[in-house]
Amino acid sequence: MVAPSPLAVTKILTGIAGFDEITCGGLPRGRTTLVMGGPGCGKTVFALQALVNGARRTKEAGLFVAFEESTRQIIANAATFGWDLPALERKKLFFLDAQLSPEVVKAGEFDLIGMLALLEIKARDINAKRIVFDGIDVLLRLLDDPAAERREIYRIRDWLSRTGLTGVITQKVGGIGAVDQHYTFLQFMVDCVVVLRHEVVDGSAFRNLRVKKYRGSGFAGDEFPITLTTEGMQLTNRGPTELEYAVSDKRISSGLPRLDNMLRGGYRSGSNVLISGAPGTAKSTLSALFAAAACARGERTLYVSFNEGAAEIVRNLRSVGIRLAPHLKSGLLKMYSTRTRGPNVEDQFGELRAQVWAHRPHCMVIDPLSALSTKIAHVASADAAQQFLDFLKGEGITVVNTSLMDGINTDEATATGISTMADTWIHVSYVVQDGERNRALTIVKARGIGHSNQVRELTLSDDGVSLTDVFAAQGKVLMGVARWEWEQQEQAGKKRSLAATVLKRLQLQVAQAEAAARLQVVRTEMEARSAEIAVLADATGSASKLVQTDRAVLRKMRHADEEVRVAVRVAKRVGAKNGLARNGEPGLI
Amino acid sequence: MRLYVAGNAPNSLRAIANAKAICEEYLTSRYALEVVDLLKHPRRAVDDGIIVTPTLLRLRPLPIQRVVGNLSDTNQVLLTLAAK
């Protein structure tokens, strides 16, 4: 809202997304706004939403004067918007049934003084700040006199300025863009004029809104597409011309650890991820993994699916071990399943925005986004997907989109241009080889993230989803059974070489043992020889001693001395032999 | 009959005068007319679903008939009052 200054127009928010932006804060407070358009443009919704938003968000009570439809009808119609009008009606809203039945007999001029007196009392009762006169054209037609019409309109305007209420008057105009000449004075009288337009292009309805006049305020005067969603009306403005988002370096898991590794830590928080591939390449499964992981971290998640029911998806995912039911139960996960409806994707993106506002998710899955982008048939819708992704980025929501690609030359091409918007693009393709079809996953791009350039094989089983390295051999990438065989062969080869090693070691151990045994034999032999020598030497010593003794005795007896030298020489030779044996074991065998 | 008016607005004053004249002239004394001023009793408008003033209601005989305006069109008023 614009900061209030004594001179500037202060404004009230309508709660109509987009409108409050293009008017820099909503409708002029305490002034009157005219909403005009052909039948079915959403005039009543516009007016009612402005009133309801006041009652719900800013606790400003309001009055609704219905000239055209009965209040019962209006409340019933608004039930689709989830505003809970009956509850608001008790406290914050007052509906006045001012339907003038066509059978009413008119006998002379009349005025609105009585009704305004009643409204004034009611406004005081509930402290109303806003009022809607819905379908003023019905009243004007009944007056059937330009002077009287003007008089009553001025009466309403004076009454509004006296009571200080913010007024919204809706007026039906015939045909597209045409305004009955004598009602144009309404446009001069009010402070703000909003024109709604409804057209049919190629069998699809398009609604547009344009602010024609806004006294004392700037506004965007272009025509903007509007959509009616379950949360009410919203307006798609073209988005900021300058792209400025809060960026995050935080990473969040893709739900598949090996994919996180390939991305060096997972998806970037707040980015948009595109998973493309042919039908059945497990795009949905990959996006569901992301959703399940987000829920497991306790983050609110919105799962949007087209042409497949939520219950069906939950059941199918259970077969690959992904369980979403508990998260649905806890309310963390919201599943929104819808069908693509014709070329007006603006409406569908509008509904998605409403879903985002209602659930306030942290993570989101759109499966498939291509369901919306391929049906583009109208210029106004052409950049709807871009705008929606911009919106999600602005909200800081991490979104995983899938995109279906079939046909022949669509390997790495997206006709829709979604890929240029994606921050991270993962492509899953089929590789048909050796009579089987396998899934190959690659990361085509990942802005601002280092990532693996490797192809991985994606396999689905009862235990879940896994990524496996693929082998390149003989100039071919091996996947599926071929990869499995290769793995088996590799394993068998490893086993064989292991066995050979073991055998070789055993053989060597045997040889070593043999050598040791031989060594023992030699050593024992040596000892035996040594012993023998010792014995021999001993024997020789005793013998010579004996001889000497005998000789000595003999010499004594003969008185001789010449034999002594000979005996000494013999003793010396025996001692040298003994010394050699003691000096260690011989190294030779 | 019940006539809803709004203070002394021209249409209301005219309606009161017209209603009284028509009643006197055509219904002589076979009528009862209540005049409700919505400026004094605005809440009463809710009871009979009154949107514009003046509004004349024929309460009896049933069904209730209503005619809006300052009742200057005497024929229309008489037709409505005589309606079954």
Side-chain angles (χ1 to χ4, degrees):
Chain A
M1 220 164 138
V2 174
S5 82
L7 291 171
V9 178
T10 60
K11 300 180 183 182
I12 60 160
L13 294 170
T14 60
I16 297 168
F19 182 80
D20 292 336
E21 281 80 44
I22 64 164
T23 52
C24 315
L27 300 174
R29 180 178 289 279
R31 310 279 183 93
T32 306
T33 299
L34 176 69
V35 179
M36 50 196 283
C41 283
K43 300 182 296 296
T44 304
V45 175
F46 181 97
L48 192 55
Q49 192 164 351
L51 206 63
V52 165
N53 187 59
R56 293 173 90 193
R57 306 235 180 117
T58 54
K59 305 289 173 213
E60 286 186 4
L63 304 173
F64 191 97
V65 185
F67 290 113
E68 192 166 16
E69 290 173 284
S70 76
T71 54
R72 202 158 28 85
Q73 271 174 314
I74 286 171
I75 292 171
N77 293 348
T80 56
F81 295 128
W83 292 335
D84 197 12
L85 286 187
L88 287 172
E89 200 187 354
R90 281 194 290 277
K91 287 188 220 148
K92 290 286 180 192
L93 294 180
F94 172 72
F95 287 86
L96 178 67
D97 207 331
Q99 216 183 356
L100 293 157
S101 80
E103 298 95 59
V104 71
V105 179
K106 190 183 156 198
E109 283 186 14
F110 59 88
D111 53 60
L112 296 173
I113 301 172
M115 183 185 74
L116 294 177
L118 170 67
L119 289 175
E120 201 167 338
I121 289 291
K122 283 290 177 190
R124 210 174 298 149
D125 282 355
I126 61 171
N127 192 25
K129 298 276 188 252
R130 309 178 181 196
I131 187 165
V132 170
F133 292 97
D134 187 35
I136 196 105
D137 50 288
V138 177
L139 176 78
L140 298 179
R141 208 154 287 140
L142 192 76
L143 285 162
D144 200 22
D145 166 21
E149 285 166 14
R150 201 165 295 216
R151 192 187 64 218
E152 293 314 311
I153 288 294
Y154 278 105
R155 196 189 301 283
I156 290 176
R157 188 192 67 169
D158 291 346
W159 180 82
L160 282 170
S161 70
R162 188 163 51 80
T163 52
L165 292 172
T166 304
V168 176
I169 297 174
T170 76
Q171 182 194 15
K172 186 163 70 249
V173 293
I176 294 166
V179 179
D180 299 343
Q181 272 309 306
H182 62 282
Y183 290 161
T184 49
F185 69 91
L186 253 173
Q187 295 184 43
F188 295 111
M189 192 197 83
V190 297
D191 294 284
C192 175
V193 176
V194 175
V195 181
L196 299 177
R197 203 161 63 85
H198 189 204
E199 61 175 344
V200 175
V201 177
D202 297 335
S204 201
F206 290 88
R207 293 187 176 90
N208 294 294
L209 179 148
R210 179 166 69 93
V211 177
K212 192 174 179 184
K213 160 181 174 179
Y214 202 140
R215 274 188 197 140
S217 168
F219 61 93
D222 292 340
E223 205 166 49
F224 295 96
I226 51 174
T227 52
L228 298 178
T229 71
T230 52
E231 295 292 308
M233 177 182 284
Q234 60 172 262
L235 186 145
T236 315
N237 59 33
R238 301 273 145 71
T241 44
E242 195 177 358
L243 299 176
E244 212 175 316
Y245 312 110
V247 292
S248 166
D249 265 339
K250 212 184 125 210
R251 299 296 192 84
I252 57 179
S253 172
S254 64
L256 196 54
R258 287 209 56 177
L259 183 55
D260 291 347
N261 285 344
M262 286 177 79
L263 290 163
R264 311 269 189 277
Y267 302 143
R268 204 182 272 281
S269 176
S271 69
N272 71 69
V273 179
L274 174 69
I275 301 175
S276 65
T281 43
K283 300 182 297 296
S284 300
T285 311
L286 282 175
S287 52
L289 272 174
F290 168 71
C295 289
R297 291 191 301 270
E299 294 171 2
R300 299 179 70 78
T301 303
L302 178 63
Y303 194 116
V304 178
S305 61
F306 286 99
N307 307 330
E308 197 177 5
E312 219 177 334
I313 293 170
V314 171
R315 182 204 59 200
N316 294 347
L317 290 173
R318 214 164 38 216
S319 73
V320 286
I322 302 172
R323 282 169 211 289
L324 295 178
H327 303 306
L328 276 173
K329 211 174 204 178
S330 71
L332 270 179
L333 180 67
K334 166 98 193 286
M335 294 190 84
Y336 174 73
S337 298
T338 184
R339 207 161 263 293
T340 45
R341 306 177 296 248
N344 189 0
V345 295
E346 200 71 64
D347 274 349
Q348 304 214 343
F349 281 117
E351 186 54 50
L352 293 190
R353 271 190 197 90
Q355 293 288 336
V356 167
W357 284 318
H359 189 61
R360 291 265 150 227
H362 198 266
C363 297
M364 187 168 171
V365 167
I366 306 174
D367 181 32
L369 182 63
S370 52
L372 290 182
S373 48
T374 52
K375 295 224 170 174
I376 290 167
H378 190 255
V379 199
S381 305
D383 49 3
Q386 171 81 68
Q387 280 169 8
F388 185 69
L389 292 177
D390 274 347
F391 157 76
L392 290 180
K393 195 162 267 193
E395 301 278 312
I397 298 168
T398 313
V399 60
V400 172
N401 307 302
T402 68
S403 179
L404 180 69
M405 291 178 200
D406 39 17
I408 304 159
N409 292 318
T410 48
D411 258 8
E412 291 199 354
T414 37
T416 57
I418 305 177
S419 61
T420 60
M421 306 170 211
D423 295 314
T424 301
W425 180 7
I426 295 166
H427 185 70
V428 190
S429 59
Y430 278 129
V431 175
V432 179
Q433 171 189 308
D434 301 339
E436 54 178 57
R437 183 187 275 276
N438 296 298
R439 300 176 179 94
L441 180 144
T442 46
I443 297 168
V444 183
K445 72 168 176 184
R447 283 181 188 149
I449 305 180
H451 56 275
S452 168
N453 64 349
Q454 297 293 301
V455 176
R456 293 280 189 279
E457 182 179 349
L458 182 71
T459 50
L460 301 180
S461 70
D462 292 349
D463 304 330
V465 185
S466 54
L467 286 176
T468 321
D469 289 334
V470 295
F471 291 90
Q474 291 130 32
K476 278 203 298 189
V477 171
L478 300 183
M479 300 183 79
V481 170
R483 168 184 54 77
W484 181 82
E485 277 173 0
W486 181 261
E487 280 174 351
Q488 296 302 310
Q489 274 174 20
E490 282 246 300
Q491 260 177 22
K494 267 185 200 154
K495 263 187 200 156
R496 270 199 302 278
S497 77
L498 184 71
T501 313
V502 169
L503 186 66
K504 183 82 185 159
R505 191 164 67 214
L506 282 173
Q507 283 170 346
L508 285 172
Q509 275 170 353
V510 167
Q512 193 183 23
E514 262 175 20
R518 275 207 309 275
L519 186 64
Q520 190 61 39
V521 169
V522 170
R523 194 176 289 156
T524 313
E525 228 173 65
M526 281 279 298
E527 276 168 23
R529 297 281 151 80
S530 303
E532 242 175 280
I533 288 166
V535 170
L536 190 65
D538 205 23
T540 317
S542 331
S544 69
K545 212 185 261 173
L546 193 63
V547 170
Q548 276 175 10
T549 313
D550 290 350
R551 295 250 173 104
V553 173
L554 207 66
R555 262 198 313 268
K556 220 174 180 177
M557 287 191 316
R558 286 180 188 166
H559 301 285
D561 62 317
E562 212 173 355
E563 287 291 319
V564 174
R565 261 190 298 134
V566 178
V568 167
R569 214 174 289 146
V570 173
K572 260 187 187 163
R573 204 172 296 145
V574 171
K577 261 192 181 165
N578 275 341
L580 180 70
R582 267 198 308 276
N583 262 348
E585 292 133 45
L588 304 166
I589 295 162
Chain B
M1 284 180 290
R2 190 176 292 151
L3 177 64
Y4 285 93
V5 296
N8 48 13
N11 280 331
S12 294
L13 293 178
R14 217 166 293 149
I16 293 169
N18 286 337
K20 282 183 175 163
I22 290 168
C23 290
E24 281 306 318
E25 190 173 346
Y26 298 96
L27 305 173
T28 55
S29 55
R30 294 175 290 122
Y31 73 97
L33 178 68
E34 180 195 9
V35 177
V36 178
D37 184 354
L38 287 180
L39 294 189
K40 287 184 185 133
H41 311 283
R43 284 175 214 280
R44 287 198 60 179
V46 179
D47 305 337
D48 285 315
I50 304 304
I51 309 305
V52 299
T53 45
T55 298
L56 179 66
L57 297 184
R58 186 200 74 183
L59 300 169
R60 269 187 212 110
L62 290 171
I64 294 172
Q65 296 291 333
R66 76 172 60 199
V67 55
V68 302
N70 58 21
L71 310 180
S72 54
D73 187 339
T74 309
N75 280 339
Q76 276 295 353
V77 176
L78 287 174
L79 277 172
T80 308
L81 292 181
K84 282 178 186 164

